[in-house]
Amino acid sequence: MSVDAMSREDRVMLARAALARAEQRTGARSVLPLEAVAVPVPVAPPLVALVPDLPPSPPEQPSTGIITSERPAMAVPPPLVPILPEGLRRGGTTVVTGSTSLVLAMLAHACAGGAWAAVVGQPTVGLLAAAQAGVALDRLAVVPRPGLEAPTVVAALLDGVDVVVVGPEVALTDAERRKLSARARDRGSVLLSTRDWPGAGVVLTVESGRWTGIDAGEGRLRTHEIRLVRTGRGSAAVPRALDLTLPIGSTAPVVVQAAAPTAGLRLVG
C-alpha cells in the first residue's frame, strides 16, 4: 500500500491498533471505551504489517512522514504563539520541563482540535488533573509505568497517535531516543518529552515561578505565574522568554490573551 493510498479509515485503524498493542505489552488500559478499539488486543496483528512501506524519495527532496505531508502543524494555546509561532511541528521533538500544568494545557488544546494524545511514564499526571485541565479523556491514553517495554510502547504509540508525552519513568538510551525521534519524524507524530532529550528541535524551560492565592497563611492556590524560556535548533536557536499565568481549578481552561509580552491561561466559571 502506498502512502498516498492510505485513507482516513486506514490511519484510524493504525492508531487503534497502536493503542491496543501498547496496552497488551504493558498490561495498562487506555481510558478509551473498549468498543472504540476496533482491533481486539489478543489478536492484534503485528504493527509492521499495518505500517505501509514508504516510497523512496527523490534525492533532491527530503522524505516526509505519513501525516506530516498531509496535515499542518498542531496548534498551541494562543498565549504560547509568541514563542511557538509555527505551533508543534508534526514529526518534531519538543521538550517541556518544569511545569506539568503547561504540558496539560498543551494537550488540552491539541485534543480540542481533534488530536489523540498519550502520556507514557509520567505517573504524576492523573486523569482527574487532565480532566480539570480540559483534556478530552476519550482522546487520551495513559501508561504510567511502561517498565522494560518502554521503547516499544512509545514506538507503537508514535505509529498512530498525534502527540505522545514521554515522562521520566521511560528509561531510554541515547540511541533509543534517536530512533524514537526518527520514528516520530517518519510518522508525523509530535514527541513531547518532559525531561532532557538530546537533539530536540524546541526546548521550553520554566526558569522561575510564583504561586498566588494564599492569603495570610490560608486559602487555595489559584494561579501559577511562570517565566518560560524557549531554546532549541533551527528557527528556535535564538532564545526567547515569555511570562505566563497558569490556573488551577476544577473546570476546563479558557485561554485568554493578555498584553504582550505577558499572556495568561485562566479558568472561569
Side-chain angles (χ1 to χ4, degrees):
M1 179 186 296
S2 68
V3 175
D4 294 336
M6 284 193 71
S7 65
R8 178 179 176 83
E9 289 72 20
D10 293 330
R11 292 196 298 272
V12 170
M13 181 183 70
L14 182 59
R16 291 172 174 168
L19 289 173
R21 184 72 168 179
E23 293 171 355
Q24 180 187 29
R25 286 181 175 275
T26 63
R29 183 168 180 175
S30 166
V31 299
L32 297 173
L34 292 179
E35 62 271 20
V37 181
V39 181
V41 173
V43 296
L47 286 177
V48 68
L50 295 174
V51 180
D53 295 330
L54 296 177
S57 302
E60 67 276 10
Q61 296 180 353
S63 60
T64 56
I66 295 174
I67 304 179
T68 306
S69 61
E70 299 178 1
R71 300 170 64 185
M74 191 174 301
V76 296
L80 296 181
V81 171
I83 58 174
L84 293 174
E86 299 177 356
L88 294 176
R89 184 175 61 84
R90 291 185 179 273
T93 300
T94 299
V95 172
V96 181
T97 61
S99 177
T100 301
S101 297
L102 180 60
V103 173
L104 291 177
M106 296 172 72
L107 288 184
H109 196 80
C111 291
W116 287 46
V119 179
V120 184
Q122 188 87 14
T124 57
V125 174
L127 298 184
L128 177 59
Q132 290 177 340
V135 179
L137 297 186
D138 59 347
R139 291 183 172 273
L140 176 69
V142 177
V143 186
R145 293 179 175 84
L148 297 178
E149 295 288 346
T152 304
V153 171
V154 175
L157 290 168
L158 287 172
D159 282 348
V161 178
D162 294 290
V163 53
V164 178
V165 177
V166 179
E169 292 292 324
V170 176
L172 299 170
T173 65
D174 287 343
E176 289 169 338
R177 289 189 181 93
R178 288 193 295 270
K179 289 179 180 179
L180 290 173
S181 288
R183 196 178 193 97
R185 184 166 56 250
D186 185 52
R187 301 296 188 258
S189 301
V190 174
L191 197 160
L192 193 64
S193 176
T194 60
R195 62 186 301 183
D196 292 340
W197 192 286
V202 176
V203 179
L204 301 177
T205 305
V206 176
E207 289 196 339
S208 60
R210 184 174 72 91
W211 290 93
T212 60
I214 295 295
D215 183 22
E218 61 181 2
R220 293 184 57 190
L221 291 173
R222 296 187 179 278
T223 61
H224 189 196
E225 298 174 3
I226 64 173
R227 165 148 291 204
L228 188 63
V229 177
R230 184 211 68 190
T231 56
R233 307 170 63 185
S235 60
V238 178
R240 297 190 63 179
L242 183 69
D243 292 327
L244 295 173
T245 300
L246 299 173
I248 294 179
S250 58
T251 59
V254 175
V255 179
V256 178
Q257 183 71 47
T262 303
L265 298 176
R266 185 170 61 88
L267 287 179
V268 298

